[in-house]
Structures are given as C-alpha cells and as structure tokens.
Amino acid sequence: MDEHFVITIARQYGSGGRTVGQMLAKKLGYSFYDKEIIQMASDASGIDVSLFGKVEEGSSVKKASLFNRTGLYKGELIPPGSKEFVTDENIFNYQAKVIHDLAEKESFVVVGRCVNFVLKDRPNTLRVFVHAPWEFRVEHSMPKISGTREDVEKFLLRDDKRKQDYYRRFAGGVWNDATNYDLCLNSGKLGFEKCVEAIEAQMEIMRR
C-alpha cells in the first residue's frame, strides 16, 4: 500500500471547503494544492497557463476528435507534435498526471479538479465533499463577491452549474453525488474545526 496519504476535497462555493482543506493540511503538516496544480501542469506541458484556466471555467479550447480521444488519464498523453496536443482532454490529463506524480512523492490535501475521480482507485486516498445550506453559503460568499445579495446568489448558481458540467465532462458522473465520495460534511452545521476532526477520524479508520 502506498505510504503517502492524499485527501481530495470537492466543495460548494461558500461552504468553506477550501478553508477546511488548508486547516487540515496545516494540522497534518501536509502540502496543500489548489490552483498550483494548473501552474505545475502548464510548466510540465508548455501549454499556456491561461488555457488551463479557460477549460476549468467552462470554456472550450479545442475538443479532441472522436478518433483521437485519450479519455481520462491512464498514463498516456498526446505529444506536443500532434494537432490534438492543445485540447481540453489533454489539458485535463496533464493536470491528472501532475496529481498522480505528486501522490508518488508526498502526502497532501488537494481541492477541486475531479481529483476524487482521478485517484478513485488509489489506496490511502480519502475523498471528501464539503457542502452547506444555501443561506450559509450566501452569507460566507458576500464578503468575497461584489454586488447585491441577488448577484451573489446568481454567482453561486453559476458556479454550481460550472462544477457539475466540468465533472460530468471529465469524470462522467455527478459532481455532488455522495456515492462519489468517502465522506460528506455539512460545514454549516459542523463548523470548520469539526470538519477537520471528522476527516482526521476517517483517516484513522482507513489506516487500521
């Protein structure tokens, strides 16, 4: 069994899932990764980092042809000389490769990017989904998003849809389906500290 432990965190915007991940990583002495994965994948591939962000935000750079799709990362990548090199699928797969490579080297906490699916068959991987009631999410989002309450609510709806679409496209499933995760936590009821404690408790169970 792999000695390194990876905690993947998917979260609704405004639930504080990223904060929970940072708190957990600090407490465990693990590395914490979020958008750093994009920069690392850009550095590894030579593909402009802005294109990674474009795909993540729901725009299409270029879809691979039906005959050249590599599917989810299984160790292969489209080479730079190919016309299919800068495609949405290859961009996603470079991120997957970075995550797989990191998992061979260290223990870490990582947020977003379908990592729960990318590492679904890896031992010592705990897949967490952090959610919260709508009112909690709105209140926690208002300091970060300019505009009225209505603007914030529209943003949250768009972000939920973006994450659903991204997950369906690259993982072939439903982003907020509890069966895709090992642990689902309501941060609005538990609070961030209790979420961290629940994740630690689940890690202990998995290590037995």
Side-chain angles (χ1 to χ4, degrees):
M1 181 177 287
D2 196 313
E3 63 183 29
H4 301 302
F5 210 103
V6 178
I7 302 97
T8 77
I9 297 182
R11 84 289 185 208
Q12 293 176 323
Y13 193 98
S15 69
R18 189 176 192 277
T19 300
V20 169
Q22 289 174 316
M23 290 169 61
L24 177 68
K26 184 176 181 179
K27 191 171 183 180
L28 296 174
Y30 286 6
S31 297
F32 175 81
Y33 295 107
D34 186 0
K35 291 188 181 297
E36 295 87 352
I37 297 295
I38 293 177
Q39 186 61 59
M40 294 166 75
S42 174
D43 292 342
S45 64
I47 298 173
D48 193 290
V49 69
S50 66
L51 297 183
F52 283 86
K54 188 175 181 182
V55 172
E56 189 169 88
E57 290 305 315
S59 300
S60 177
V61 174
K62 177 185 175 185
K63 293 183 179 180
S65 70
L66 291 175
F67 299 103
N68 290 313
R69 295 176 67 94
T70 60
L72 187 70
Y73 177 73
K74 298 182 180 66
E76 73 280 1
L77 292 164
I78 298 171
S82 170
K83 292 180 180 179
E84 304 288 320
F85 178 59
V86 183
T87 57
D88 301 347
E89 290 77 11
N90 209 37
I91 283 173
F92 177 83
N93 284 348
Y94 262 104
Q95 291 182 108
K97 181 181 187 303
V98 165
I99 291 159
H100 275 283
D101 289 348
L102 284 172
E104 294 296 316
K105 301 173 184 175
E106 61 175 320
S107 296
F108 59 91
V109 178
V110 59
V111 171
R113 286 158 201 93
C114 302
V115 183
N116 66 299
F117 187 74
V118 172
L119 298 181
K120 66 184 177 68
D121 297 321
R122 181 187 179 277
N124 276 358
T125 299
L126 175 56
R127 305 175 303 159
V128 180
F129 184 79
V130 180
H131 60 99
W134 183 254
E135 188 61 30
F136 181 94
R137 295 176 61 196
V138 172
E139 292 298 322
H140 277 255
S141 300
M142 288 186 75
K144 303 174 185 177
I145 302 169
S146 60
T148 64
R149 179 189 175 91
E150 184 180 358
D151 293 329
V152 172
E153 291 183 335
K154 287 180 178 178
F155 174 88
L156 293 179
L157 289 171
R158 286 196 305 270
D159 194 69
D160 284 350
K161 184 179 185 303
R162 176 184 68 81
K163 287 173 179 171
Q164 291 281 15
D165 291 346
Y166 186 87
Y167 196 90
R168 185 179 299 110
R169 181 177 183 188
F170 294 109
V174 179
W175 163 69
N176 59 357
D177 183 347
T179 62
N180 292 321
Y181 304 93
D182 305 306
L183 186 64
C184 295
L185 300 170
N186 184 334
S187 59
K189 288 188 176 181
L190 290 175
F192 298 163
E193 289 283 356
K194 291 294 184 184
C195 284
V196 171
E197 291 174 11
I199 294 170
E200 288 184 294
Q202 185 66 27
M203 289 173 66
E204 287 302 314
I205 292 170
M206 291 173 66
R207 283 174 165 148
R208 290 174 187 168

